[in-house]
mmCIF file of all heavy atoms in Angstrom:
data_model
loop_
_atom_site.group_PDB
_atom_site.id
_atom_site.type_symbol
_atom_site.label_atom_id
_atom_site.label_comp_id
_atom_site.label_asym_id
_atom_site.label_seq_id
_atom_site.Cartn_x
_atom_site.Cartn_y
_atom_site.Cartn_z
ATOM 1 N N SER A 1 0.810 -1.211 0.000
ATOM 2 C CA SER A 1 0.000 0.000 0.000
ATOM 3 C C SER A 1 0.847 1.266 0.000
ATOM 4 O O SER A 1 0.314 2.370 -0.065
ATOM 5 C CB SER A 1 -0.929 0.013 1.216
ATOM 6 O OG SER A 1 -0.176 0.057 2.421
ATOM 7 N N ALA A 2 2.160 1.086 0.092
ATOM 8 C CA ALA A 2 3.057 2.253 0.076
ATOM 9 C C ALA A 2 2.976 2.938 -1.278
ATOM 10 O O ALA A 2 2.681 2.328 -2.299
ATOM 11 C CB ALA A 2 4.495 1.814 0.371
ATOM 12 N N GLU A 3 3.235 4.230 -1.274
ATOM 13 C CA GLU A 3 3.145 5.006 -2.506
ATOM 14 C C GLU A 3 4.173 4.545 -3.519
ATOM 15 O O GLU A 3 5.335 4.337 -3.200
ATOM 16 C CB GLU A 3 3.364 6.487 -2.195
ATOM 17 C CG GLU A 3 3.232 7.380 -3.424
ATOM 18 C CD GLU A 3 3.436 8.834 -3.063
ATOM 19 O OE1 GLU A 3 3.585 9.123 -1.869
ATOM 20 O OE2 GLU A 3 3.457 9.662 -3.986
ATOM 21 N N THR A 4 3.755 4.344 -4.746
ATOM 22 C CA THR A 4 4.667 3.943 -5.816
ATOM 23 C C THR A 4 5.613 5.099 -6.130
ATOM 24 O O THR A 4 5.175 6.237 -6.286
ATOM 25 C CB THR A 4 3.890 3.558 -7.084
ATOM 26 O OG1 THR A 4 2.982 2.506 -6.759
ATOM 27 C CG2 THR A 4 4.845 3.115 -8.194
ATOM 28 N N PRO A 5 6.908 4.852 -6.244
ATOM 29 C CA PRO A 5 7.860 5.932 -6.498
ATOM 30 C C PRO A 5 7.698 6.473 -7.909
ATOM 31 O O PRO A 5 7.201 5.797 -8.796
ATOM 32 C CB PRO A 5 9.218 5.240 -6.332
ATOM 33 C CG PRO A 5 8.937 3.810 -6.677
ATOM 34 C CD PRO A 5 7.545 3.549 -6.151
ATOM 35 N N PRO A 6 8.105 7.714 -8.145
ATOM 36 C CA PRO A 6 8.013 8.282 -9.492
ATOM 37 C C PRO A 6 8.940 7.567 -10.453
ATOM 38 O O PRO A 6 9.918 6.953 -10.044
ATOM 39 C CB PRO A 6 8.450 9.742 -9.283
ATOM 40 C CG PRO A 6 9.287 9.700 -8.045
ATOM 41 C CD PRO A 6 8.678 8.649 -7.169
ATOM 42 N N ALA A 7 8.622 7.646 -11.738
ATOM 43 C CA ALA A 7 9.413 6.969 -12.761
ATOM 44 C C ALA A 7 10.628 7.814 -13.098
ATOM 45 O O ALA A 7 10.590 8.662 -13.992
ATOM 46 C CB ALA A 7 8.553 6.729 -14.006
ATOM 47 N N PHE A 8 11.686 7.596 -12.345
ATOM 48 C CA PHE A 8 12.904 8.361 -12.585
ATOM 49 C C PHE A 8 13.603 7.837 -13.843
ATOM 50 O O PHE A 8 13.719 6.641 -14.045
ATOM 51 C CB PHE A 8 13.860 8.246 -11.395
ATOM 52 C CG PHE A 8 13.338 8.859 -10.140
ATOM 53 C CD1 PHE A 8 12.945 8.067 -9.082
ATOM 54 C CD2 PHE A 8 13.224 10.246 -10.017
ATOM 55 C CE1 PHE A 8 12.470 8.623 -7.915
ATOM 56 C CE2 PHE A 8 12.745 10.808 -8.857
ATOM 57 C CZ PHE A 8 12.354 9.996 -7.801
ATOM 58 N N ALA A 9 14.048 8.753 -14.708
ATOM 59 C CA ALA A 9 14.785 8.352 -15.907
ATOM 60 C C ALA A 9 16.196 7.960 -15.513
ATOM 61 O O ALA A 9 16.832 8.624 -14.701
ATOM 62 C CB ALA A 9 14.824 9.497 -16.905
ATOM 63 N N LYS A 10 16.667 6.848 -16.061
ATOM 64 C CA LYS A 10 18.020 6.410 -15.788
ATOM 65 C C LYS A 10 18.981 7.103 -16.759
ATOM 66 O O LYS A 10 18.686 7.291 -17.927
ATOM 67 C CB LYS A 10 18.132 4.892 -15.911
ATOM 68 C CG LYS A 10 17.301 4.162 -14.860
ATOM 69 C CD LYS A 10 17.580 2.674 -14.856
ATOM 70 C CE LYS A 10 16.795 1.992 -13.750
ATOM 71 N NZ LYS A 10 17.057 0.538 -13.698
ATOM 72 N N VAL A 11 20.122 7.465 -16.255
ATOM 73 C CA VAL A 11 21.096 8.225 -17.042
ATOM 74 C C VAL A 11 21.784 7.305 -18.034
ATOM 75 O O VAL A 11 22.213 6.206 -17.692
ATOM 76 C CB VAL A 11 22.135 8.879 -16.116
ATOM 77 C CG1 VAL A 11 23.193 9.609 -16.932
ATOM 78 C CG2 VAL A 11 21.446 9.813 -15.136
ATOM 79 N N GLN A 12 21.886 7.779 -19.297
ATOM 80 C CA GLN A 12 22.592 7.023 -20.332
ATOM 81 C C GLN A 12 24.089 7.056 -20.044
ATOM 82 O O GLN A 12 24.686 8.137 -19.954
ATOM 83 C CB GLN A 12 22.319 7.646 -21.700
ATOM 84 C CG GLN A 12 22.966 6.882 -22.848
ATOM 85 C CD GLN A 12 22.204 5.619 -23.173
ATOM 86 O OE1 GLN A 12 21.037 5.535 -22.833
ATOM 87 N NE2 GLN A 12 22.861 4.673 -23.815
ATOM 88 N N PRO A 13 24.719 5.881 -19.850
ATOM 89 C CA PRO A 13 26.159 5.892 -19.559
ATOM 90 C C PRO A 13 26.936 6.441 -20.751
ATOM 91 O O PRO A 13 26.580 6.200 -21.902
ATOM 92 C CB PRO A 13 26.477 4.409 -19.340
ATOM 93 C CG PRO A 13 25.155 3.755 -19.086
ATOM 94 C CD PRO A 13 24.155 4.559 -19.869
ATOM 95 N N PRO A 14 27.993 7.172 -20.505
ATOM 96 C CA PRO A 14 28.827 7.681 -21.599
ATOM 97 C C PRO A 14 29.570 6.548 -22.282
ATOM 98 O O PRO A 14 29.728 5.474 -21.730
ATOM 99 C CB PRO A 14 29.785 8.646 -20.894
ATOM 100 C CG PRO A 14 29.844 8.145 -19.489
ATOM 101 C CD PRO A 14 28.474 7.615 -19.177
ATOM 102 N N ALA A 15 30.037 6.825 -23.504
ATOM 103 C CA ALA A 15 30.722 5.796 -24.275
ATOM 104 C C ALA A 15 31.999 5.345 -23.589
ATOM 105 O O ALA A 15 32.411 4.192 -23.711
ATOM 106 C CB ALA A 15 31.023 6.325 -25.679
ATOM 107 N N GLU A 16 32.621 6.250 -22.845
ATOM 108 C CA GLU A 16 33.886 5.902 -22.210
ATOM 109 C C GLU A 16 33.681 5.424 -20.769
ATOM 110 O O GLU A 16 34.457 5.691 -19.871
ATOM 111 C CB GLU A 16 34.823 7.111 -22.212
ATOM 112 C CG GLU A 16 34.321 8.331 -21.446
ATOM 113 C CD GLU A 16 33.382 9.209 -22.258
ATOM 114 O OE1 GLU A 16 32.961 8.771 -23.341
ATOM 115 O OE2 GLU A 16 33.076 10.309 -21.802
ATOM 116 N N ASN A 17 32.649 4.661 -20.583
ATOM 117 C CA ASN A 17 32.319 4.214 -19.219
ATOM 118 C C ASN A 17 32.925 2.870 -18.875
ATOM 119 O O ASN A 17 32.540 2.260 -17.892
ATOM 120 C CB ASN A 17 30.796 4.155 -19.034
ATOM 121 C CG ASN A 17 30.163 3.086 -19.917
ATOM 122 O OD1 ASN A 17 30.816 2.578 -20.831
ATOM 123 N ND2 ASN A 17 28.925 2.767 -19.641
ATOM 124 N N GLY A 18 33.820 2.398 -19.699
ATOM 125 C CA GLY A 18 34.469 1.143 -19.356
ATOM 126 C C GLY A 18 33.686 -0.072 -19.810
ATOM 127 O O GLY A 18 33.933 -1.182 -19.323
ATOM 128 N N GLY A 19 32.713 0.103 -20.709
ATOM 129 C CA GLY A 19 32.012 -1.048 -21.245
ATOM 130 C C GLY A 19 30.732 -1.421 -20.534
ATOM 131 O O GLY A 19 30.169 -2.486 -20.779
ATOM 132 N N PHE A 20 30.232 -0.571 -19.618
ATOM 133 C CA PHE A 20 28.973 -0.884 -18.947
ATOM 134 C C PHE A 20 27.834 -0.827 -19.957
ATOM 135 O O PHE A 20 27.804 0.053 -20.830
ATOM 136 C CB PHE A 20 28.691 0.090 -17.800
ATOM 137 C CG PHE A 20 29.630 -0.080 -16.645
ATOM 138 C CD1 PHE A 20 30.644 0.848 -16.421
ATOM 139 C CD2 PHE A 20 29.520 -1.160 -15.799
ATOM 140 C CE1 PHE A 20 31.523 0.682 -15.375
ATOM 141 C CE2 PHE A 20 30.385 -1.321 -14.737
ATOM 142 C CZ PHE A 20 31.383 -0.407 -14.532
ATOM 143 N N PRO A 21 26.855 -1.744 -19.887
ATOM 144 C CA PRO A 21 25.747 -1.743 -20.850
ATOM 145 C C PRO A 21 24.902 -0.490 -20.725
ATOM 146 O O PRO A 21 24.666 0.010 -19.626
ATOM 147 C CB PRO A 21 24.954 -3.001 -20.477
ATOM 148 C CG PRO A 21 25.291 -3.254 -19.051
ATOM 149 C CD PRO A 21 26.715 -2.813 -18.880
ATOM 150 N N ALA A 22 24.450 0.018 -21.871
ATOM 151 C CA ALA A 22 23.597 1.197 -21.874
ATOM 152 C C ALA A 22 22.187 0.820 -21.472
ATOM 153 O O ALA A 22 21.709 -0.271 -21.737
ATOM 154 C CB ALA A 22 23.586 1.811 -23.272
ATOM 155 N N VAL A 23 21.505 1.734 -20.769
ATOM 156 C CA VAL A 23 20.132 1.521 -20.308
ATOM 157 C C VAL A 23 19.242 2.580 -20.931
ATOM 158 O O VAL A 23 19.523 3.784 -20.799
ATOM 159 C CB VAL A 23 20.041 1.613 -18.772
ATOM 160 C CG1 VAL A 23 18.604 1.373 -18.314
ATOM 161 C CG2 VAL A 23 20.983 0.607 -18.129
ATOM 162 N N PRO A 24 18.172 2.205 -21.634
ATOM 163 C CA PRO A 24 17.286 3.210 -22.250
ATOM 164 C C PRO A 24 16.723 4.150 -21.205
ATOM 165 O O PRO A 24 16.381 3.751 -20.100
ATOM 166 C CB PRO A 24 16.194 2.349 -22.888
ATOM 167 C CG PRO A 24 16.806 1.001 -23.049
ATOM 168 C CD PRO A 24 17.761 0.835 -21.924
ATOM 169 N N ARG A 25 16.630 5.423 -21.574
ATOM 170 C CA ARG A 25 16.124 6.416 -20.644
ATOM 171 C C ARG A 25 14.672 6.177 -20.275
ATOM 172 O O ARG A 25 14.240 6.545 -19.187
ATOM 173 C CB ARG A 25 16.277 7.821 -21.244
ATOM 174 C CG ARG A 25 17.717 8.283 -21.386
ATOM 175 C CD ARG A 25 17.779 9.652 -22.011
ATOM 176 N NE ARG A 25 19.143 10.141 -22.120
ATOM 177 C CZ ARG A 25 19.791 10.793 -21.172
ATOM 178 N NH1 ARG A 25 19.190 11.025 -20.030
ATOM 179 N NH2 ARG A 25 21.027 11.205 -21.361
ATOM 180 N N ASP A 26 13.890 5.603 -21.204
ATOM 181 C CA ASP A 26 12.473 5.431 -20.934
ATOM 182 C C ASP A 26 12.152 4.081 -20.312
ATOM 183 O O ASP A 26 10.997 3.686 -20.242
ATOM 184 C CB ASP A 26 11.668 5.606 -22.237
ATOM 185 C CG ASP A 26 12.084 4.587 -23.299
ATOM 186 O OD1 ASP A 26 13.113 3.894 -23.090
ATOM 187 O OD2 ASP A 26 11.378 4.504 -24.332
ATOM 188 N N GLU A 27 13.179 3.372 -19.859
ATOM 189 C CA GLU A 27 12.924 2.069 -19.238
ATOM 190 C C GLU A 27 12.174 2.254 -17.917
ATOM 191 O O GLU A 27 12.481 3.142 -17.134
ATOM 192 C CB GLU A 27 14.242 1.328 -18.985
ATOM 193 C CG GLU A 27 14.051 -0.042 -18.329
ATOM 194 C CD GLU A 27 15.377 -0.684 -17.981
ATOM 195 O OE1 GLU A 27 16.418 -0.098 -18.347
ATOM 196 O OE2 GLU A 27 15.368 -1.738 -17.347
ATOM 197 N N GLU A 28 11.205 1.411 -17.685
ATOM 198 C CA GLU A 28 10.437 1.491 -16.437
ATOM 199 C C GLU A 28 11.352 1.112 -15.277
ATOM 200 O O GLU A 28 12.018 0.090 -15.313
ATOM 201 C CB GLU A 28 9.260 0.516 -16.493
ATOM 202 C CG GLU A 28 8.311 0.618 -15.300
ATOM 203 C CD GLU A 28 7.525 1.922 -15.273
ATOM 204 O OE1 GLU A 28 7.393 2.548 -16.347
ATOM 205 O OE2 GLU A 28 7.045 2.287 -14.201
ATOM 206 N N PRO A 29 11.405 1.923 -14.229
ATOM 207 C CA PRO A 29 12.303 1.597 -13.111
ATOM 208 C C PRO A 29 11.830 0.361 -12.374
ATOM 209 O O PRO A 29 10.637 0.089 -12.277
ATOM 210 C CB PRO A 29 12.210 2.842 -12.216
ATOM 211 C CG PRO A 29 10.889 3.436 -12.533
ATOM 212 C CD PRO A 29 10.672 3.180 -14.007
ATOM 213 N N ASP A 30 12.795 -0.396 -11.854
ATOM 214 C CA ASP A 30 12.497 -1.589 -11.073
ATOM 215 C C ASP A 30 12.153 -1.159 -9.650
ATOM 216 O O ASP A 30 12.999 -0.639 -8.930
ATOM 217 C CB ASP A 30 13.711 -2.517 -11.064
ATOM 218 C CG ASP A 30 13.408 -3.847 -10.400
ATOM 219 O OD1 ASP A 30 12.334 -3.987 -9.778
ATOM 220 O OD2 ASP A 30 14.256 -4.748 -10.508
ATOM 221 N N CYS A 31 10.914 -1.384 -9.249
ATOM 222 C CA CYS A 31 10.466 -0.916 -7.934
ATOM 223 C C CYS A 31 11.206 -1.596 -6.793
ATOM 224 O O CYS A 31 11.187 -1.115 -5.667
ATOM 225 C CB CYS A 31 8.955 -1.137 -7.779
ATOM 226 S SG CYS A 31 7.967 -0.081 -8.849
ATOM 227 N N ARG A 32 11.844 -2.737 -7.079
ATOM 228 C CA ARG A 32 12.574 -3.405 -6.001
ATOM 229 C C ARG A 32 13.737 -2.551 -5.517
ATOM 230 O O ARG A 32 14.195 -2.708 -4.378
ATOM 231 C CB ARG A 32 13.090 -4.760 -6.490
ATOM 232 C CG ARG A 32 11.973 -5.793 -6.693
ATOM 233 C CD ARG A 32 12.511 -7.055 -7.309
ATOM 234 N NE ARG A 32 13.067 -6.802 -8.642
ATOM 235 C CZ ARG A 32 13.612 -7.754 -9.394
ATOM 236 N NH1 ARG A 32 13.693 -8.989 -8.949
ATOM 237 N NH2 ARG A 32 14.076 -7.453 -10.595
ATOM 238 N N GLU A 33 14.199 -1.633 -6.381
ATOM 239 C CA GLU A 33 15.262 -0.735 -5.943
ATOM 240 C C GLU A 33 14.759 0.227 -4.874
ATOM 241 O O GLU A 33 15.517 0.707 -4.056
ATOM 242 C CB GLU A 33 15.800 0.053 -7.135
ATOM 243 C CG GLU A 33 16.458 -0.813 -8.217
ATOM 244 C CD GLU A 33 16.942 0.019 -9.378
ATOM 245 O OE1 GLU A 33 16.854 1.251 -9.279
ATOM 246 O OE2 GLU A 33 17.400 -0.557 -10.368
ATOM 247 N N PHE A 34 13.471 0.534 -4.909
ATOM 248 C CA PHE A 34 12.908 1.502 -3.973
ATOM 249 C C PHE A 34 12.227 0.813 -2.794
ATOM 250 O O PHE A 34 12.120 1.380 -1.720
ATOM 251 C CB PHE A 34 11.894 2.390 -4.704
ATOM 252 C CG PHE A 34 12.482 3.071 -5.905
ATOM 253 C CD1 PHE A 34 12.334 2.516 -7.169
ATOM 254 C CD2 PHE A 34 13.202 4.244 -5.769
ATOM 255 C CE1 PHE A 34 12.887 3.139 -8.277
ATOM 256 C CE2 PHE A 34 13.752 4.870 -6.880
ATOM 257 C CZ PHE A 34 13.602 4.316 -8.131
ATOM 258 N N PHE A 35 11.724 -0.427 -3.010
ATOM 259 C CA PHE A 35 11.032 -1.151 -1.944
ATOM 260 C C PHE A 35 11.675 -2.522 -1.759
ATOM 261 O O PHE A 35 11.157 -3.528 -2.211
ATOM 262 C CB PHE A 35 9.538 -1.332 -2.274
ATOM 263 C CG PHE A 35 8.766 -0.048 -2.252
ATOM 264 C CD1 PHE A 35 8.166 0.438 -3.394
ATOM 265 C CD2 PHE A 35 8.648 0.680 -1.081
ATOM 266 C CE1 PHE A 35 7.455 1.618 -3.377
ATOM 267 C CE2 PHE A 35 7.939 1.864 -1.050
ATOM 268 C CZ PHE A 35 7.342 2.348 -2.200
ATOM 269 N N PRO A 36 12.830 -2.580 -1.105
ATOM 270 C CA PRO A 36 13.461 -3.887 -0.893
ATOM 271 C C PRO A 36 12.589 -4.818 -0.058
ATOM 272 O O PRO A 36 12.771 -6.023 -0.076
ATOM 273 C CB PRO A 36 14.766 -3.522 -0.168
ATOM 274 C CG PRO A 36 14.509 -2.173 0.435
ATOM 275 C CD PRO A 36 13.593 -1.473 -0.530
#
């Protein structure tokens, strides 16, 4: 029943980020990050 968190946009990693996979900005956030 807790309030659902807002849909925060995830930041696009820069090309020189050491090879981390890019995440689309419009991806729906995983609520488990906010409600463990």
Side-chain angles (χ1 to χ4, degrees):
S1 64
E3 182 179 355
T4 303
F8 295 109
K10 295 189 177 181
V11 177
Q12 183 76 21
E16 62 276 11
N17 66 346
F20 291 106
V23 181
R25 292 179 178 273
D26 60 350
E27 180 185 355
E28 186 69 22
D30 187 350
C31 291
R32 289 174 298 180
E33 297 179 6
F34 304 96
F35 291 117

